[in-house]
């Protein structure tokens, strides 16, 4: 049976030390919490070290999700925007509730079926990132404002025999150094909530 990750060693390095790797950075995302009876995500780097985790006791769509590093420290808080006509999510630093870094809005455009959502930095009028593709098929591309590919979500295949994992195990590929891995993972979490 193929492994989800290369090894099971939990890294005790901090998140900030792990992002100094050269591009592309390929992460393995497992849609499973490390805690029993929890819903969440476990994210490994290419060496099999734990990089991020999400542990929620509620299943399905939730109003607040916390992205943590391997040691359980809060990196980003993702909150659903209340009383909004569109499916909007806010990304905050740490566990704060003021001054969101980004707003993620689900695209509802019958003319452009490729576009899933766009991410706008606080204070900006134009989208910072545009997400296209199909999240349910684990085939998405994240473009920046200059239309450069900055990240991809892809199905993961086993190294031996090309056997594909199910939809709960996939790759998050960061193609540019300026793409923050935590923000990219927050986008994955929000897509998962939007397209359950």
């Amino acid at each position: 049976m193929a492994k989800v990750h290369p090894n099971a060693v939990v890294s005790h390095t901090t998140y900030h030390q792990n992002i100094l790797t050269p591009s592309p950075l390929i992460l393995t995302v497992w849609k499973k919490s490390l805690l029993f009876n929890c819903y969440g995500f476990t994210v490994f780097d290419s060496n099999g070290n734990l990089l991020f985790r999400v542990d929620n006791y509620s299943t399905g769509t939730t109003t607040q999700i916390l992205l943590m590093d391997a040691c359980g420290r809060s990196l980003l808080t993702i909150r659903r925007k209340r009383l909004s006509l569109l499916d909007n999510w806010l990304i905050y630093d740490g566990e704060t509730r003021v001054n969101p870094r980004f707003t993620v809005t689900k695209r509802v455009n019958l003319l452009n079926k490729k576009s899933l959502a766009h991410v706008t930095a606080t204070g900006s009028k134009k989208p910072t990132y545009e997400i296209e593709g199909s999240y349910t098929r684990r085939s998405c591309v994240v473009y920046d404002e200059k239309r450069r590919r900055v990240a991809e979500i892809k199905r993961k295949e086993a190294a031996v025999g090309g056997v594909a994992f199910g939809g709960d195990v996939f790759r998050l590929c960061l193609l540019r150094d300026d793409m923050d891995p935590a923000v990219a993972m927050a986008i994955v979490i929000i897509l998962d909530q939007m397209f359950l």
Side-chain angles (χ1 to χ4, degrees):
M1 181 173 178
K3 288 184 181 181
V4 170
H5 49 82
N7 61 44
V9 176
V10 175
S11 172
H12 293 288
T13 59
T14 63
Y15 156 72
H16 296 290
Q17 291 170 332
N18 285 333
I19 66 168
L20 298 176
T21 58
S23 286
L25 177 62
I26 300 173
L27 306 177
T28 298
V29 180
W30 189 12
K31 193 175 168 184
K32 181 170 177 62
S33 170
L34 292 176
L35 300 178
F36 184 68
N37 281 341
C38 278
Y39 164 83
F41 290 90
T42 306
V43 183
F44 301 95
D45 66 13
S46 58
N47 295 320
N49 299 314
L50 181 63
L51 189 60
F52 301 121
R53 56 185 255 219
V54 173
D55 303 312
N56 286 328
Y57 288 100
S58 62
T59 58
T61 304
T62 184
T63 57
Q64 178 174 306
I65 301 168
L66 190 64
L67 177 65
M68 299 175 283
D69 67 8
C71 298
R73 288 185 293 260
S74 307
L75 298 174
L76 297 172
T77 298
I78 303 161
R79 288 192 176 92
R80 184 178 214 136
K81 193 171 182 182
R82 297 176 188 257
L83 303 173
S84 174
L85 295 174
L86 299 172
D87 198 356
N88 286 329
W89 293 79
L90 303 171
I91 301 173
Y92 298 87
D93 278 324
E95 294 185 54
T96 63
R97 293 179 183 237
V98 294
N99 301 325
R101 284 181 60 188
F102 296 99
T103 301
V104 182
T105 305
K106 184 176 183 178
R107 289 302 280 263
V108 182
N109 186 344
L110 299 175
L111 300 175
N112 185 359
K113 294 183 181 183
K114 291 190 310 183
S115 181
L116 299 176
H118 62 271
V119 181
T120 307
T122 301
S124 177
K125 295 182 181 181
K126 294 187 338 182
T128 308
Y129 301 111
E130 187 77 30
I131 302 114
E132 294 182 357
S134 171
Y135 179 75
T136 55
R137 288 190 223 140
R138 305 300 189 255
S139 178
C140 297
V141 178
V142 179
Y143 296 97
D144 67 5
E145 68 278 354
K146 295 180 182 174
R147 199 71 186 149
R148 297 178 296 195
R149 295 166 80 102
V150 295
E152 292 179 342
I153 299 169
K154 301 174 162 185
R155 286 193 170 273
K156 181 174 180 171
E157 292 185 1
V160 179
V163 176
F165 287 92
D168 287 348
V169 179
F170 54 95
R171 293 193 186 278
L172 174 59
C173 306
L174 305 177
L175 306 174
R176 294 185 55 86
D177 291 332
D178 55 354
M179 182 64 185
D180 182 352
V183 172
M185 189 57 212
I187 291 171
V188 169
I189 295 165
I190 292 170
L191 289 174
D192 193 71
Q193 292 293 305
M194 288 178 173
F195 299 100
L196 276 175

